[in-house]
Structures are given as structure tokens and as C-alpha cells.
Amino acid sequence: EVQLVESGGGLVQPGGSLRLSCAASGFTFSSYEMNWVRQAPGKGLEWVSYISSSGSTIYYADSVKGRFTISRDNAKNSLYLQMNSLRAEDTAVYYCARNTATLYGSYYFDYWGQGTLVTVSS
Amino acid sequence: SYVLTQPPSVSVAPGQTARITCGGNNIGSKSVHWYQQKPGQAPVLVVYDDSDRPSGIPERFSGSNSGNTATLTISRVEAGDEADYYCQVWDSSSDHFYVFGTGTKVTVL
């Protein structure tokens, strides 16, 4: 059974830092691209960042570029998101999500973790 | 950037059919994926590539995509279908490669 378990969320002051982790199990983690997706309270879903299976290709949403860093450790079956210079608008539930490519050149998220809440407030 | 527009809410009686639209410029040329999210839970994929269902998703969930509108159809609606639904496309030209729709709250009357 595929499982994704996030951790590391919490309350942090504006300008502060936080590191999220996502522990993966039930599949060959090193073969899959992974993502972080967030959801502000009462709002919709927003893609945050992508990392290829080897870690060699990385993308970020403009809203977090230069402040967030995605990484992975395939030996530990783990995905990370280092978040620096946090702002109030970064307050959200952060989900890790497994990436799947389709035959038509599209991509979607076939498995999601339960999410971890990050609150940025003084 | 690419924008996907959904109606904020759809109401439907049990046993009836709910149709949730997702509008985007020439969305018919893209593959559309749909997620169901119940309160306090993570999203769950219910349709991918316009009309395919992952294993375990009931046949009551179906999708179509043409022109400027994609549609998720839920037939014989049940109380357990009450949730938020999001469409999603992948757009390499967007600043957000993975673009989500604005979301639709489905209420079962």
C-alpha cells in the first residue's frame, strides 16, 4: 500500500524557516517524481514544487521561488521542503504528492499524503 | 498563466446527476484530471486523462473534455459524494506547471 506521511509543520514567525519531510513507503520511491502542493485555509489547491526521480530536475512556483528548496533522499525514501523567509501568505496545509505521467504528455498526482499544517504568524 | 474556472457550488438531490464544469482556453487540447476532497482529508484522484478512472473509483464518476470546457459527471449521486472537486491540467508554459481549477463544492440535498 502506497503511503506518504508528512511531518515538520508548526507555528513559525514571519521571516522564519521550517523544514518539511515526507516519508514514503509501499512503492519504489527512487522511480517516481514527487511534488509539494499546498492549500491555504478555506482556499483551493496550489502546486508548490516538483523534483524528478533522481533529483536532477527541479521546478518551483513563482510564489516560492528563491525562498523554498525541494530535495530528496532516495536511500531514506524521503522528500523534503526547506522553507525560508516565510510569509503570512505561506500559511497552509502542505501535501506531498506522487507524480504520474500519462500517455498524452500530461501529469497528475495519484497519491497524496495527509498533509502538515504550517502557520506563519507573530 | 493558464486559468481554470469552476462554478463555486453545485447542488444535487440524491440519485440525480451532478455536472461540474472546468473552463479554460482550448482546454480540449489538454488532458484534464479531477480530484475529490472531503473536509479535513487529502485530495483523491477520481478521473485522469479526461475520462479514465483509477482503480477503486465507482463507474458513477465520468469525465469529458471538448472545446473550452471539461466536465466531471457524477451519476446517481450519493450522500458520500458531498465534497470539493478540483480539475487540474499540466501546462508547461504556465508559471505553475500544474494548474488547478478554483474548486466546486458539491452539496447533496
Side-chain angles (χ1 to χ4, degrees), chain A residues 11-33:
Chain A
L11 175 63
V12 60
Q13 292 187 339
S17 298
L18 213 54
R19 188 195 196 206
L20 306 183
S21 299
C22 172
S25 61
F27 65 103
T28 304
F29 180 71
S30 58
S31 297
Y32 284 85
E33 304 155 341

Side-chain angles (χ1 to χ4, degrees), chain A residues 31-118:
Chain A
S31 297
Y32 284 85
E33 304 155 341
M34 297 294 295
N35 296 268
W36 289 98
V37 178
R38 69 184 180 184
Q39 185 171 36
K43 302 297 184 181
L45 300 168
E46 180 190 18
W47 170 77
V48 172
S49 185
Y50 157 97
I51 187 168
S52 63
S53 57
S54 66
S56 60
T57 301
I58 286 172
Y59 301 121
Y60 298 100
D62 284 352
S63 55
V64 306
K65 201 173 295 182
R67 301 187 299 122
F68 289 12
T69 302
I70 191 172
S71 63
R72 65 190 297 161
D73 186 335
N74 287 341
K76 294 183 178 180
N77 291 336
S78 294
L79 175 72
Y80 306 101
L81 186 67
Q82 177 66 43
M83 304 185 295
N84 298 331
S85 302
L86 283 162
R87 307 166 179 167
E89 53 265 37
D90 295 319
T91 295
V93 174
Y94 284 74
Y95 297 99
C96 65
R98 196 177 80 168
N99 206 63
T100 290
T102 80
L103 296 176
Y104 305 101
S106 184
Y107 299 88
Y108 59 86
F109 310 114
D110 59 352
Y111 288 95
W112 300 63
Q114 86 289 349
T116 187
L117 176 62
V118 173

